[in-house]
Amino acid sequence: SSASGLRVMAAESGSGIDCSLGRIAAGEADVDAGNQRRVISASELAEALGCGQIDLEKLQAGVEEQAAAALVFDPREQLERDRLFRREGQAAEDVFAVGRWVRLQGLQSAAQLNGRSGMVIEPLNETGRLGVQVSSIAGKGKRIRPANLTAFSDDETLQVVRLFCRGEQSAGLQTWRWPQRMVTDRPFEVSPIAMRVGVPLHIVRVEPLRDLSADTEFDNQWLMHLMVDHETGVVRHPWHHRPGPAIVWRGDEGDLSADDVCLMICFIDSLLARYRDKEAPIDIDAEVTREAFQFFKAREMQAASEENGDSDRGRWWGEGGFNI
């Protein structure tokens, strides 16, 4: 929208207004006037939106309500609608599957890369080559034949879970194997609720599998769930903005599968409404505990095993049980 020759800058292109939720709630927005930016007042914002002060107040009230919600995401619905869930053995069966680490050998035209390690980022193409991102080398990766690659053995790797962001691909989370040093040597943060319930989930950001630019492409509600603060029920900074892709592993270096992480996310999601309940506030000491999580897990497993139970759970959870 335009008002007095000023173009309102908005984060949501579909709405025609691009300003933050907080700015709308405060009756403000950044505007671009030539090469200068400034903050406009509530009256100017109302004019730019083509609405009166009363309508603006309604918009502000709606924005405040939306901002108060920790997350608006249903992992169960996502699992069913988009087939985001991946069984734990899918990536592990193929030693050259996307996400597996390899060593380069026998290269002639790029002999300087022999002995280096890298991660498979693209499956076999029509020329019989894999896309490999060589460690410590920027760029989109190299096309290499499987004959010039040796896969890391399971003894050299940890079973981890890769969380994809919106702009990468349709899969939300997938079990991968990464070399132990590639995981444990990186700075990481711990999932607050998972740690509190006795599951030490360590999280580190990783580079996207393709070039991303828009903020929405970095959206990762799976990751944001894991970084919900156990005291407030709100996503911790800076994970609330452009969280991007991440690797999750167990702090005790035990096996971790996509089933495990999804179970934890579903448990956290079940708590969000309790955090927002003002009339009967959540009792953290009773509801965010090891016992509460184990009860949630037992209920999920029972429902999945019952012949006449919830068929959705049967599709989500594998028959091998959980590692957490």
Side-chain angles (χ1 to χ4, degrees), residues 34 40 47 49-50 59 75 96 112 119-120 148 152 154 165 172 187 193 202 213-214 296 312:
I40 62 176
E47 180 183 355
L49 292 172
L59 174 62
F96 293 137
Q112 72 277 9
M119 186 183 71
V120 178
N148 296 115
F152 277 69
D154 287 355
C165 63
I193 291 182
H202 293 185
S213 56
F296 178 86
D312 287 341

Side-chain angles (χ1 to χ4, degrees), residues 17-300:
I17 303 297
D18 200 5
C19 51
S20 68
L21 295 178
R23 288 294 181 84
I24 291 179
E28 302 174 343
D30 285 335
V31 298
D32 186 8
N35 293 323
Q36 297 182 344
R37 296 175 66 87
R38 68 181 181 85
V39 176
I40 62 176
S41 66
S43 60
E44 289 176 304
L45 178 59
E47 180 183 355
L49 292 172
C51 65
Q53 189 66 34
I54 295 179
D55 292 331
L56 177 60
E57 291 173 357
K58 291 180 180 179
L59 174 62
Q60 290 173 313
V63 168
E64 288 173 349
E65 181 179 354
Q66 180 178 349
L71 290 167
V72 286
F73 170 81
D74 184 348
R76 298 177 183 279
E77 182 180 334
Q78 289 291 97
L79 290 173
E80 179 60 24
R81 185 179 70 242
D82 297 329
R83 301 289 183 183
L84 298 186
F85 183 65
R86 296 294 185 268
R87 292 297 177 199
E88 65 177 286
Q90 182 175 0
E93 292 173 355
D94 182 2
V95 295
F96 293 137
V98 172
R100 293 296 296 247
W101 280 75
V102 294
R103 293 186 179 90
L104 284 63
Q105 61 182 16
L107 296 172
Q108 300 297 321
S109 60
Q112 72 277 9
L113 297 180
N114 289 329
R116 301 287 294 272
S117 59
M119 186 183 71
V120 178
I121 59 174
E122 294 180 3
L124 278 174
N125 62 12
E126 62 278 2
T127 66
R129 289 178 169 82
L130 294 160
V132 178
Q133 180 65 61
V134 182
S135 180
S136 302
I137 296 182
K140 295 183 179 181
K142 306 291 184 181
R143 298 285 187 178
I144 303 176
R145 295 183 184 276
N148 296 115
L149 301 172
T150 300
F152 277 69
S153 68
D154 287 355
D155 292 339
E156 300 175 276
T157 59
L158 292 178
Q159 189 168 291
V160 303
V161 175
R162 173 58 147 77
L163 274 63
F164 297 85
C165 63
R166 179 181 294 180
E168 290 186 301
Q169 62 179 59
S170 60
L173 64 168
Q174 193 171 37
T175 307
W176 283 5
R177 299 200 72 94
W178 270 37
Q180 182 173 355
R181 61 184 177 81
M182 293 292 182
V183 176
T184 57
D185 288 352
R186 298 184 178 210
F188 64 87
E189 291 197 37
V190 177
S191 171
I193 291 182
M195 177 61 75
R196 182 175 173 83
V197 302
V199 182
L201 295 185
H202 293 185
I203 299 170
V204 61
R205 295 182 196 263
V206 294
E207 290 298 315
L209 295 180
R210 69 177 188 83
D211 292 336
L212 306 177
S213 56
D215 286 354
T216 55
E217 292 184 309
F218 288 86
D219 182 50
N220 190 336
Q221 294 272 319
W222 304 92
L223 177 54
M224 292 170 70
H225 268 72
L226 292 176
M227 295 311 298
V228 167
D229 185 86
H230 67 278
E231 294 286 350
T232 64
V234 176
V235 180
R236 284 185 174 179
H237 292 220
W239 300 89
H240 68 298
H241 179 64
R242 291 168 62 99
I247 289 290
V248 184
W249 77 98
R250 287 180 56 156
D252 57 10
E253 300 183 7
D255 283 346
L256 186 71
S257 72
D259 272 17
D260 298 323
V261 174
C262 191
L263 179 72
M264 181 60 67
I265 289 172
C266 287
F267 172 70
I268 294 172
D269 190 75
S270 72
L271 297 173
L272 297 183
R274 294 289 300 117
Y275 278 106
R276 295 192 293 268
D277 191 337
K278 304 302 182 183
E279 296 184 1
I282 186 172
D283 185 346
I284 296 174
D285 292 333
E287 299 178 60
V288 192
T289 63
R290 293 172 182 260
E291 294 75 18
F293 174 68
Q294 292 302 322
F295 177 79
F296 178 86
K297 181 177 76 170
R299 188 179 61 189
E300 291 289 315

